[in-house]
Amino acid sequence: MLFYVLRRTGAALATLAAASVVIFVFIHLIPGDPIYVLLGDEATPEQVEALRTRLGLDRSIVTQYFYWVGNVLQGDLGTSIFFQDPVTLIIRDGAETSILLACVTMVWIVLLGVPVGVLAATRHGTWIDQGLSGIAMLLASIPTFWVGLYLILIFAANLGWLPSSGYPSIFEEGGLSNLRYLLLPSLTLAAPNAALILRLTRASMLDVAKEDYVRTARSKGIRPQRVVIRHILRNALLAVVSAFGFTFAALISEAVVTETVFALPGIGRLVVQSILRRDYPVIQGVILVIVCLYLIINLLVDISYRYLDPRVELE
Amino acid sequence: MTRSLRPFFDLFATRPLAMLGLVYLVVIIVAALGANVLVHYPPEQIEPINRLSPPSWEHWFGTDHFGRDTFSRVIYGSRLALLIGVGVVSFALATGVPIGILSALYPRLGRVLMRMVDVMMAFPSLLMALGLIVILGQSVANAILAIGIVYLTTTARITYGVSLRLREETYVEAANSMGASTFWIIRKHVLPNMISPLLVQASFVFAFAQLGAASLDFLGLGAPPEVPSWGNMLAESRIYITRAPWLLFYPGLMIVLTAFSLNLVGDALRDRMDPRFREMLGNRGR
C-alpha cells in the first residue's frame, strides 16, 4: 500500500512538472511582448531594455523557466501586470468565491444526483427510469450560461427573490446570508453535473445488482429495501464517491462560464479577464494552481479507492 | 434498405427518442445546406426600424438589436454548428486514432505518448481550449483546433484501450504468427473492429463540441463576433434579456436540441455495442 501511494505520488509530481513546462512554454508562445503591455507603446528603447533586464526576460528561456519554478516553490507566483499585486494574493481573493461555489454546488449534486439515480435504478426499465434518464441526458446537453441567464431573468429580474450578480464575502456584512448570492449560480453549475452523477449512480447500482452476493442476499429472504440499501447501494457508492472527487475538481474550471454570467469574483472569471487583459503572470499562476488541485484530488481519489476496495488493481 | 443498414434501423425503431434525435439531426443538416433558400432575409440585413421586435408573421423568431432577422441567423448558425462539429470530430479522430493504435502496438512509444496524453488531461478542458485560443488567435478554424486538441486526448485513450484488447485477440495473434505486416493487421483487424466504439465517441465529441464552442463564443473568445453562430447570438443578446427574452430562446434551444440529439444517438449506439468496449466510453467526452 505504501509503495502504491509513493508510486502514485511520484507519477503525479512528474505530471505536474511536465504540466508546468507546458504552461510556461504556452505563455511564451502567446504573440505580443509583455514589456510593451507593461510600458505602453511610447516607451523608449532604454526603458524597454531596463525593464527586460529587471524582469529577467533577456535571459534564455530555460534559465527563465528555472527562475520561475524556483520562485513558485518559494510560494511566489509573480506580480500581476494589471493589478500590480502579487498573483498569490489575487488568487487568494478569488478562492473564497470559487471554493464556496464548488461546495454549495456539490451539495446540490449529491442531494439530487444520488437519490434520483437510486430511484431510476430500482425502477429499472419502467417509464420512471426512462424518463429520469432522459431528463438527465437533457440536462447534460444544456449550455450552463443559457440556464443561468434565464434563472436571472425569472428569479432576479422578474420575481426579485434573489440577487442577480456579484458575491460579497461571508466574512463581511451579511455573514452567512450572503450565500444566497450563490444559490442561482450553484444550481446552474449543478445541473449538468448532477445529471452525470445520476447516470453514474444508476449504472453502478445496476452493475452491482448482477453480483452473486446480491442474489444470495435475496434468496436468503432479506427484505428487498434492505438488499438495495445494505448490499447494492453500499457497493455502488464506491464508484460514485470517486466521481465526486473528479467532479469537484472539474467544477473549479467549469465555473469559468458560470462566474462570468453571474459576475462572481472567483478564480474562473479571473482567468477569463486576465486572458482578455493579457495579464500573463496571473493566467500562468491560476492555471498552475488549478492543475495542481486537479492532480491532488485525482491522487487522493485513486488512493482512497484502493484503500476502500483492495480488490481494485489500478493499472 | 441494404443489409448492412438493417441493424441500425432496428436499433432506432426500439428507441423512439433516439429516432427523434436522428430525425432532428437530418433536419439540421438540410437546414444548413439549404440556408440560402430557406430564409426570407439575408442574415446580416439590418432593419433599424424593426429593432428588438417580438416574434411575428414577418420575423418568426423576432429581430435582434440591429433589426436582423433571428430566424435567418439561427438557420445560418446551423452551418457553423455543423462545421464546428465535423471539424472537431475529424481532427480528434485523425490525430487520436493513430496515437492510440501506435501506442498499443509499440509499447515503448506508447509509454511516452500516453504520458503526454496524461499531462494534457491534467488541464481542465475549457481552460485548455481558452489557453489555446489565446495562443492561436481568435477565428473559427482556431476554435475548431482548440476544441479538437481537447478531445484528441480522450479519443487517443479510447483507441488505445480498444487496441490493447484487440491485440490479445486470437485472430490478431494468428495473423501476426502467419507473418502478416503490422499495417495489414491494422487495416484488416484493428480498424474494422474499432468502427463502432469510434462512432459512439464521435457522436459524444460532436455534442460536446457544440457546448464547448458555445461557451467560447459566450466568453468572447470563440468565433469572431460578426459570425452568426448560436453562441455569438446568445452573447450579443445577453444584455437585452429583460427587454427581448425571446432573442436568447431560439439560439439556445438549437444548441440544446443539437447536443441532446447527438447524446441520444450516441447512447443508443453504445447500448448496442460490444460489452467489452462499452465501459471505456463514458457519457462525456472527457
Side-chain angles (χ1 to χ4, degrees), chain B residues 93-205:
Chain B
L93 290 181
T95 51
V97 172
I99 291 176
I101 293 181
L102 288 178
S103 299
L105 289 176
Y106 305 102
R108 237 182 242 184
L109 176 71
R111 221 165 295 145
V112 178
L113 289 178
M114 284 298 124
R115 277 315 288 173
M116 284 164 72
V117 168
D118 281 348
V119 171
M120 284 170 80
M121 286 181 113
F123 291 87
S125 52
L126 184 60
L127 274 191
M128 184 148 106
L130 282 177
L132 288 167
I133 289 285
V134 174
I135 295 162
L136 299 167
Q138 198 177 346
S139 73
V140 174
N142 288 343
I144 292 174
L145 196 59
I147 302 171
I149 290 173
V150 170
Y151 290 109
L152 172 171
T153 55
T154 46
T155 309
R157 272 251 179 110
I158 287 165
T159 313
Y160 177 66
V162 174
S163 310
L164 279 186
R165 296 265 175 115
L166 289 175
R167 213 183 53 181
E168 307 296 318
E169 295 285 337
T170 328
Y171 53 82
V172 173
E173 250 175 69
N176 202 17
S177 55
M178 284 192 304
S181 73
T182 310
F183 180 72
W184 191 87
I185 294 177
I186 293 177
R187 197 166 55 89
K188 279 286 180 188
H189 291 308
V190 179
L191 284 180
N193 276 301
M194 215 171 260
I195 288 175
S196 65
L198 287 180
L199 198 61
V200 175
Q201 166 74 356
S203 54
F204 290 142
V205 169

Side-chain angles (χ1 to χ4, degrees), chain A residues 205-235:
Chain A
M205 293 267 295
L206 292 178
D207 270 354
V208 176
K210 287 184 206 130
E211 297 280 347
D212 289 340
Y213 57 78
V214 173
R215 200 178 45 201
T216 310
R218 282 196 206 286
S219 50
K220 275 200 301 189
I222 297 176
R223 276 183 298 120
Q225 293 97 316
R226 200 175 153 82
V227 174
V228 168
I229 293 169
R230 286 291 296 266
H231 294 84
I232 303 180
L233 184 60
R234 262 192 154 190
N235 289 292

